[in-house]
Amino acid sequence: MIKIKDVHKSYGDLKVLNGIDMEVNKGEVVCLVGASGSGKSTLLLCVNALEGINKGEILVDEISVHDQNTNQNELRKKLGIVFQQFNTFPHLTAVNNVSLALKLVLKMSKKESNELAEEHLIKVGLKDKLKHYPSELSGGQQQRLAIARALAMSPSYLLLDEITSALDPELVGEVLDTLRMLADEGMTMIVVTHETPFAREVA
């Protein structure tokens, strides 16, 4: 479970989060919907400890995210995060984009990491793109590559930040189909989105 208790976050005089309380239980899909600048993305970054907080507490599986004694790098293994910009490595194939963290962080062998990378790329519908470079993929395919990269680390939770907002309208559907599949499989997700029909359907 993710518990957010009375969280406040400011940038100087600008108050972005003002006493946020929220719980996300295992298997839930929670969508954050609101105007640009209302703090949705900031909240995701605070959950993943990429941003600090001024007051309150965020707990992930009863671990206090911002406690000075918390190993945040270890905690982040539970929290896959996908941004609206794909952040793919242009010089690596799809398989190598996904397998890199498996080798560096989880210390898997090249063979094992490549097999797991292929498995997750196939899962998100990129079976025929394994050896392609990001420049050879559409925006929707690159975003699904980014989702596969997050999933390969076997996170307990997936944080998704406006992952369709940089896509052409005709590519949005294929990414939302991937999220529907993950929701059906019971993946716990916090989704920042403007796709209201999708939010209504899966959350």
Side-chain angles (χ1 to χ4, degrees):
M1 179 191 285
I2 295 175
K3 290 182 181 178
I4 297 170
K5 301 178 178 179
D6 191 31
V7 165
H8 295 251
K9 170 69 178 177
S10 298
Y11 296 104
D13 294 331
L14 177 63
K15 190 136 196 164
V16 181
L17 302 176
N18 188 16
I20 304 298
D21 291 290
M22 190 169 100
E23 287 188 1
V24 183
N25 293 300
K26 186 170 176 58
E28 279 191 324
V29 180
V30 174
C31 290
L32 304 180
V33 181
S36 294
S38 59
K40 306 181 301 296
S41 298
T42 299
L43 183 61
L44 281 195
L45 295 177
C46 290
V47 170
N48 205 42
L50 293 172
E51 284 283 359
I53 59 177
N54 301 111
K55 181 186 171 189
E57 187 175 32
I58 298 174
L59 297 165
V60 174
D61 294 341
E62 301 302 325
I63 299 168
S64 183
V65 173
H66 298 277
D67 188 283
Q68 61 181 5
N69 296 316
T70 296
N71 184 332
Q72 293 178 338
N73 286 331
E74 279 299 311
L75 185 67
R76 287 189 187 113
K77 292 178 183 178
K78 292 176 174 279
L79 297 159
I81 188 165
V82 183
F83 300 96
Q84 71 182 76
Q85 301 303 329
F86 322 124
N87 298 320
T88 50
F89 298 108
H91 63 295
L92 298 178
T93 63
V95 164
N96 289 336
N97 258 282
V98 177
S99 67
L100 182 64
L102 298 174
K103 288 181 282 195
L104 294 180
V105 179
L106 300 186
K107 308 301 181 188
M108 287 186 181
S109 67
K110 182 177 180 181
K111 180 177 184 294
E112 188 181 11
S113 62
N114 282 348
E115 286 175 355
L116 191 58
E118 289 183 14
E119 177 186 322
H120 284 285
L121 286 166
I122 291 168
K123 182 175 185 174
V124 300
L126 295 176
K127 182 178 181 178
D128 58 342
K129 304 294 182 183
L130 302 178
K131 305 299 183 187
H132 286 61
Y133 290 88
S135 61
E136 301 171 308
L137 304 177
S138 70
Q141 289 167 341
Q142 288 193 63
Q143 194 57 283
R144 283 184 284 154
L145 165 57
I147 293 170
R149 186 173 57 190
L151 289 174
M153 300 295 286
S154 299
S156 302
Y157 308 96
L158 206 53
L159 311 176
L160 302 149
D161 184 16
E162 292 282 19
I163 61 171
T164 58
S165 65
L167 301 179
D168 293 332
E170 65 269 21
L171 301 176
V172 169
E174 63 191 53
V175 175
L176 297 184
D177 286 344
T178 300
L179 297 193
R180 282 190 195 93
M181 174 194 69
L182 295 175
D184 289 342
E185 292 179 355
M187 172 58 75
T188 310
M189 294 185 276
I190 304 178
V191 186
V192 171
T193 183
H194 282 110
E195 299 290 339
T196 309
F198 168 77
R200 188 178 291 123
E201 177 186 340
V202 302

